[in-house]
Amino acid sequence: MNTTDTASAATATATAAVPAWYELALCAQTGPGFFFPEPGSSLRDAKRLCGACEGRKPCLDYALANDERFGVWGGLSEAERQALRRRP
């Protein structure tokens, strides 16, 4: 396999791994540091952006289904998602 084929295969794999809701997501237009801040940093701005996003619900569903443990997903922090998982 030459380097062009390898690059094409990698791009196809990365594209296939992107959930459909991500194309609607406002986070796709923002750097990851915004949603994965340093410990102790405010999550307020990330949550505010999530609140205005069309992809919020499917993003949260994705995070819960895939046990995402870090960052803001669907407008919820790690602790908020963990508490949601514990509910009966």
Side-chain angles (χ1 to χ4, degrees), residues 6-24:
T6 304
S8 295
T11 301
T13 301
T15 303
V18 175
W21 57 263
Y22 190 73
E23 291 182 20
L24 300 172

Side-chain angles (χ1 to χ4, degrees), residues 35-37 43-44 46-51 56-57 59-61 63-64 68-85 87:
F35 294 92
F36 296 91
L43 302 175
R44 183 180 56 230
K47 288 180 170 193
R48 185 177 302 139
L49 190 62
C50 287
R56 182 175 183 267
K57 174 75 168 100
C59 173
L60 179 57
D61 292 343
L64 294 171
E68 292 290 347
R69 295 180 186 227
F70 303 100
V72 175
W73 290 80
L76 299 182
S77 68
E78 302 96 327
E80 292 166 328
R81 289 191 309 277
Q82 187 175 34
L84 188 61
R85 281 188 204 99
R87 286 187 191 167

Side-chain angles (χ1 to χ4, degrees), residues 25-42:
L26 295 175
C27 61
Q29 303 165 26
T30 309
F34 196 73
F35 294 92
F36 296 91
E38 294 294 321
S41 298
S42 175

